[in-house]
Amino acid sequence: MINLTRSSLGVTRYLLARSTSLLSRPLGNLFSTKTTAADIPSSADVVVVGGGSLGMSTLYHLQKKGLNCVLLERNQLTSGTTWHSAGMLWRLRPSDIDIELHGYTRKMCMQLEEETGIASWTENGGLFVANNKERFEEYKRLAETGNYFGIESSVLEPNQINDVHPLLRTDDTVGAMYSPTDGTIDPTGIVNAYAKAAKKLGAKIYEKTGVSSVETTPSSNPQIPNASIIQSITTTGGHTITTPVVVNACGAWANELTSMVGCKIPLLAMKHAMVVTEKIEGMDPSLPNVRDHDLSIYLKTQGDAMAIGGYEQNPEFCQLDEKFEFGLFNLDWDTFGQNLEGHIQRCPAIERVGIKSTVCGPESFTPDHKPLVGPQPGVHGFFHACGFNSMGMMLGGGIGRELAEWVTTGSPDVDLFSFDVARFHKDNLGDPKWVKDRTHESYAKTYAIVFPGDEALAGRTTPTVRRSGVYEEISAAGCVFQNRHGMERPGYFVGKGEVAPLEYDYYGAYDEEGAWRLLEEGVAASIAKHEENVYEQVIEGELTFGVPVSFDAVAEECHACRNGVAVFDQSYFGNFYLEGPEALDAVQKLVGFDVERKEDGSVTYTTMCNTKGGVEADLTVLKVNEDQFYFSAGGQTCSKDWWWIERNIQDMDCKLRDVSDDTTLLSLQGPKSRDLLQELMEDGSRVEDDALEFSHGKTIVVAGHEVLVLRLTFVGELGFELHVPRNMAGDVYKAVFEVAAGEGWEGVPVRNAGYKCIDSLSAEKNYRHYHADLSNADTPMEAGIGFTVLPKLKAGLEFNGSEALNEKREEGLQRKLVCLTVEHDGGGEPVIFNGMETIIRNGEVLGLVRSTAYGHTVGKTIAYGYIDKWEGCKKITNKGLQAEGTEWQIGDRGKVWDATLHIKSVFDPKGDRIMGKY
């Protein structure tokens, strides 16, 4: 999955011999912000801790909202990791959220220069160089996405690259992408600009002022014993500031502040280096910054020289103390040398010059290479803005804006789930080996192509990895697992032997001499490269933007589900009870559907919304009785969903009880699922329509065990979810396949199926996936699931977000999720989309594809994405979408595909099969 090579020491020694000096510290801040400790106030609306780019941006944006804010920095502004940042900003990214946030950061640099007179932005452009076809395809995808955002870019052939950057070698490339509005941020300049602007608004900034403690009080709800509320913060000088909100912007030191509230975050510090060359003949300050992802390097314009750096496969973890002010490490040339070979390959002129200075400083990294942002689960009022994986400069402006919105309204304006600190499962956070292994892999794959089918190899066998009660059984059946939220869930089945992940081997990046830099007692057991890794070999076949190796296997699983029975292990779901005297009132407040009028035993698919009407979660709710409700939430979001509910029931007489790890969820879906389940039951009960209606549940006995069965589907078929106690799951699973092997089942396809199958079938049925085509930035009406809130709104009932949703109803839809399909191409091959393609109406780009799947039943590619209203459109309606003469297309990598709009689901639009009508 990663091409790992050792560097040539000859190159290293040559450049080191020509080195003239080493940079030991920056020149310092240009704008003094120091205030005496005697001025520290006794109270503040928000206290931000950390004077780097993230802390200063957050301070500015909070203060701009009219809050009374204080920032504490124990050393000097920028003195942690900000000062040695390369500062490059790339506008085109694999994520639309990143593009939005980076664009705002760029805008803020220019805006702050106007406000303060302090310059921080240089627009010298950016160039991505591709050495292979798949990388070039990725760059074409980025350029396509830029069409929606209005970001200028050019896809270049090799013979055009030197027109943009004449110093690069191009004979070994296949192309490049040039974005002229990329550029470079000066770290000291942007921090000082934020400081000056924030102080003008009334913010107070204190340098040489550390934090000795953060004080909390217990939650007001005694039934939530582990929750606490921020009360105050005390400085190392003994000053206490009463405040309801503390923002952790401490960068690589963020765990230190987090520990003061009794928590831990998955953040580790690593040494990260760059080298500044001597003058290079022909170097022009206006030349673009360069990234060669395939060589894992960057070349930054630095006047008449270059700053060069990259990401190694054998990085060094490091320990930091509070005295590490403007600190640097000695550069390890053996480690950095592997990058130098790539730099010389891409820019041969580097070999002919010496090194002027080196910078090897700490940076903070996380297990999935995404930042840690938002409220700390269990601690009300404690927010994070840390763990930026060397991307703090690029994201600083956008995150500051969104965090200010999060603090003041309870939710950001854009979908930040992939940044939300609550995205990790609590068990993983307490596992140092899991954190270290995953963080190493995320660092090593920083410049890897972002394939939609990729899977992590690290953190798959540690003690805290979650597995269902039938893990062994489905593993033996040839399951190719996916790891999501710390859970091994089935991706698809190859039908041959075991394909389970192995102990993480660090890709063999560390030799014996270097092992001491990585291994810690009780953390890593082995770093020897596996001679054979079947799981890795299988996943290699998924690393494509075209047809993956799993295509045919998934097709067979879909066929079984549409014609017989598919058995899904959905234990990945989060399952918990909300119970107590005020449980009904809590549910009525939380969800958009009126559960009070539902009878006991009914199950409701519904949404939980924020104050702006955006969807914070979608889940099913079983009404056991008015004092007890059973929630089943998506596995990827279950920790976030739990925390959202807990925050909203602080003053109510009820509590949450988590049964996720004690529950194995086996789902039987397909035309023959009821027949199979009926044979399984041993207590004489029935599951026909008159005994168990759709969206209802009851307790039955299977294989001698009591099982909660819910008649539900996420694939558009007659189906049943069996919520089985974990220690009984193996018996129930075996009983299912014993029935399927018995008399009367000859010729009926009954087989295991995974989440790739679910993705295909649910796309055919127009079902939603949270964080794919549904998020906190999308309302239920925009997402096409208005039925989850409209009856309650029409009845005049209040719930979280109802006021905002009523306002949006009056305004009409200004954006909407649409479903488009594309037929096979001329050669009969399936058209494969991967998300972020453009949606085009009558020649105008209106939106981006959010989720895609190939519909194996309908034989078409299905794409969902949000579109904005077009010129002359006051509000989006189904009639307007289908207006005569309207043509729909999808743009992908410079090619345009004709598409068909679907107002209803692509498959079984009337929903007959869900009701058992075949």
Side-chain angles (χ1 to χ4, degrees), residues 625-646:
N625 54 57
E626 292 197 354
D627 294 331
Q628 188 179 57
F629 295 83
Y630 180 62
F631 287 74
S632 194
Q636 182 78 352
T637 64
C638 62
S639 291
K640 173 186 178 296
D641 297 346
W642 174 283
W643 175 223
W644 180 264
I645 295 171
E646 187 177 274

Side-chain angles (χ1 to χ4, degrees), residues 265-563:
I265 50 177
L267 179 153
L268 294 174
M270 292 189 191
K271 296 179 183 180
H272 191 56
M274 67 177 175
V275 166
V276 180
T277 71
E278 292 178 338
K279 178 181 177 180
I280 296 177
E281 198 65 37
M283 188 64 199
D284 186 326
S286 65
L287 290 177
N289 299 324
V290 179
R291 267 186 173 175
D292 188 321
H293 294 89
D294 298 312
L295 296 178
S296 199
I297 61 168
Y298 66 78
L299 304 97
K300 172 195 169 188
T301 301
Q302 189 93 354
D304 60 4
M306 280 187 182
I308 58 177
Y311 291 84
E312 317 83 20
Q313 277 69 55
N314 58 339
E316 296 180 57
F317 293 91
C318 57
Q319 299 294 323
L320 303 172
D321 60 43
E322 63 182 40
K323 298 178 181 179
F324 203 85
E325 179 183 5
F326 294 117
L328 290 174
F329 302 103
N330 292 326
L331 184 66
D332 186 317
W333 288 98
D334 287 342
T335 301
F336 191 79
Q338 61 189 273
N339 288 334
L340 282 174
E341 286 191 339
H343 293 123
I344 292 171
Q345 177 180 336
R346 187 53 52 230
C347 182
I350 292 175
E351 190 171 15
R352 298 189 293 271
V353 300
I355 296 171
K356 182 163 58 178
S357 60
T358 67
V359 177
C360 182
E363 291 283 358
S364 57
F365 292 90
T366 64
D368 58 1
H369 213 70
K370 293 288 187 180
L372 305 175
V373 183
Q376 170 65 41
V379 186
H380 299 263
F382 192 80
F383 287 78
H384 293 285
C386 54
F388 279 83
N389 305 274
S390 295
M391 295 184 288
M393 281 289 109
M394 291 183 275
L395 291 166
I399 289 297
R401 179 192 68 185
E402 293 305 309
L403 195 57
E405 186 70 16
W406 213 333
V407 168
T408 54
T409 69
S411 184
D413 277 338
V414 301
D415 175 17
L416 288 187
F417 174 70
S418 62
F419 293 9
D420 193 336
V421 70
R423 69 187 183 273
F424 296 103
H425 193 273
K426 58 181 174 55
D427 290 352
N428 293 145
L429 300 184
D431 181 352
K433 176 171 170 53
W434 184 89
V435 174
K436 174 161 277 191
D437 287 2
R438 287 294 295 266
T439 302
H440 171 271
E441 186 177 32
S442 73
Y443 180 100
K445 293 174 68 173
T446 296
Y447 280 174
I449 299 174
V450 182
F451 289 114
D454 198 6
E455 295 291 333
L457 299 184
R460 305 294 293 271
T461 61
T462 64
T464 58
V465 172
R466 301 162 58 225
R467 298 183 177 92
S468 81
V470 295
Y471 175 84
E472 298 296 336
E473 287 82 356
I474 65 174
S475 181
C479 179
V480 179
F481 290 97
Q482 302 170 330
N483 188 276
R484 301 291 186 275
H485 201 55
M487 181 79 174
E488 292 293 312
R489 74 176 195 182
Y492 66 100
F493 289 79
V494 293
K496 55 174 183 180
E498 188 170 312
V499 195
L502 301 180
E503 173 83 7
Y504 185 52
D505 62 7
Y506 292 83
Y507 295 99
Y510 296 90
D511 57 20
E512 292 183 5
E513 291 182 5
W516 63 269
R517 297 184 306 206
L518 176 70
L519 302 183
E520 292 180 2
E521 188 69 27
V523 173
S526 172
I527 58 171
K529 175 69 175 173
H530 295 300
E531 292 184 6
E532 183 179 20
N533 188 336
V534 176
Y535 182 82
E536 181 178 3
Q537 293 168 7
V538 170
I539 295 302
E540 287 280 358
E542 298 294 288
L543 304 187
T544 176
F545 294 120
V547 179
V549 296
S550 60
F551 189 85
D552 291 339
V554 174
E556 292 179 11
E557 294 172 18
C558 292
H559 174 77
C561 191
R562 294 289 189 225
N563 296 278

Side-chain angles (χ1 to χ4, degrees), residues 620-671:
T620 58
V621 181
L622 165 66
K623 184 178 182 181
V624 182
N625 54 57
E626 292 197 354
D627 294 331
Q628 188 179 57
F629 295 83
Y630 180 62
F631 287 74
S632 194
Q636 182 78 352
T637 64
C638 62
S639 291
K640 173 186 178 296
D641 297 346
W642 174 283
W643 175 223
W644 180 264
I645 295 171
E646 187 177 274
R647 279 162 30 200
N648 279 274
I649 63 172
Q650 284 301 297
D651 300 319
M652 308 190 77
D653 189 8
C654 55
K655 67 177 181 179
L656 280 171
R657 178 164 56 90
D658 191 358
V659 295
S660 302
D661 290 341
D662 299 324
T663 304
T664 296
L665 199 168
L666 296 176
S667 183
L668 309 181
Q669 301 287 324

Side-chain angles (χ1 to χ4, degrees), residues 140-311:
K140 290 178 182 178
R141 282 169 43 77
L142 296 181
E144 182 72 48
T145 302
N147 292 335
Y148 171 71
F149 288 95
I151 298 173
E152 180 186 354
S153 67
S154 303
V155 175
L156 308 177
E157 295 299 322
N159 61 0
Q160 298 173 302
I161 296 174
N162 286 141
D163 294 336
V164 176
H165 202 306
L167 294 178
L168 301 185
R169 175 185 171 187
T170 63
D171 64 338
D172 57 345
T173 68
V174 298
M177 182 191 69
Y178 174 52
S179 178
T181 55
D182 290 352
T184 309
I185 304 171
D186 174 62
T188 300
I190 190 62
V191 168
N192 287 334
Y194 273 125
K196 186 173 182 179
K199 291 188 76 173
K200 280 185 177 180
L201 294 170
K204 292 179 169 54
I205 300 169
Y206 301 93
E207 295 179 290
K208 299 297 181 182
T209 307
V211 175
S212 62
S213 64
V214 179
E215 292 76 39
T216 62
T217 56
S219 163
S220 56
N221 187 338
Q223 298 192 71
I224 310 178
N226 297 322
S228 60
I229 302 170
I230 293 294
Q231 182 181 35
S232 61
I233 189 168
T234 300
T235 72
T236 49
H239 299 274
T240 296
I241 307 173
T242 301
T243 183
V245 177
V246 170
V247 177
N248 179 8
C250 297
W253 294 263
N255 256 312
E256 183 181 333
L257 191 72
T258 308
S259 67
M260 294 181 184
V261 294
C263 299
K264 186 172 179 59
I265 50 177
L267 179 153
L268 294 174
M270 292 189 191
K271 296 179 183 180
H272 191 56
M274 67 177 175
V275 166
V276 180
T277 71
E278 292 178 338
K279 178 181 177 180
I280 296 177
E281 198 65 37
M283 188 64 199
D284 186 326
S286 65
L287 290 177
N289 299 324
V290 179
R291 267 186 173 175
D292 188 321
H293 294 89
D294 298 312
L295 296 178
S296 199
I297 61 168
Y298 66 78
L299 304 97
K300 172 195 169 188
T301 301
Q302 189 93 354
D304 60 4
M306 280 187 182
I308 58 177
Y311 291 84

Side-chain angles (χ1 to χ4, degrees), residues 565-588:
V565 183
V567 182
F568 297 99
D569 175 13
Q570 293 184 269
S571 308
Y572 162 66
F573 277 30
N575 301 296
F576 33 87
Y577 286 93
L578 178 64
E579 48 200 7
E582 293 185 312
L584 176 60
D585 292 339
V587 175
Q588 286 291 83

Side-chain angles (χ1 to χ4, degrees), residues 724-862:
V724 187
R726 179 186 177 87
N727 60 347
M728 307 171 184
D731 294 342
V732 174
Y733 177 87
K734 291 173 185 176
V736 167
F737 284 95
E738 285 173 0
V739 169
E743 185 178 348
W745 286 89
E746 298 85 356
V748 178
V750 179
R751 62 173 298 158
N752 290 294
Y755 273 79
K756 284 183 176 287
C757 175
I758 291 176
D759 289 343
S760 173
L761 300 176
S762 63
E764 292 179 334
K765 280 301 298 173
N766 200 20
Y767 292 151
R768 303 289 170 263
H769 294 260
Y770 196 84
H771 187 53
D773 36 34
L774 186 64
S775 77
N776 65 284
D778 311 312
T779 69
M781 289 86 82
E782 291 169 342
I785 51 173
F787 63 88
T788 64
V789 294
L790 286 174
K792 208 168 182 178
L793 291 175
K794 291 176 180 178
L797 299 175
E798 294 184 358
F799 57 94
N800 285 355
S802 59
E803 183 177 351
L805 289 171
N806 276 320
E807 292 175 0
K808 290 180 180 293
R809 282 180 65 209
E810 294 179 7
E811 181 185 29
L813 291 178
Q814 306 299 297
R815 58 192 294 274
K816 178 178 172 58
L817 186 73
V818 296
C819 174
L820 300 169
T821 59
V822 172
E823 306 285 348
H824 284 213
D825 68 16
E829 285 292 316
V831 177
I832 302 296
F833 295 138
N834 299 280
M836 301 288 286
E837 296 84 5
T838 53
I839 300 175
I840 305 166
R841 176 190 178 275
N842 293 347
E844 180 184 2
V845 176
L846 292 184
L848 288 176
V849 171
R850 288 270 284 267
S851 68
T852 70
Y854 184 78
H856 287 280
T857 311
V858 298
K860 300 176 183 179
T861 295
I862 306 168

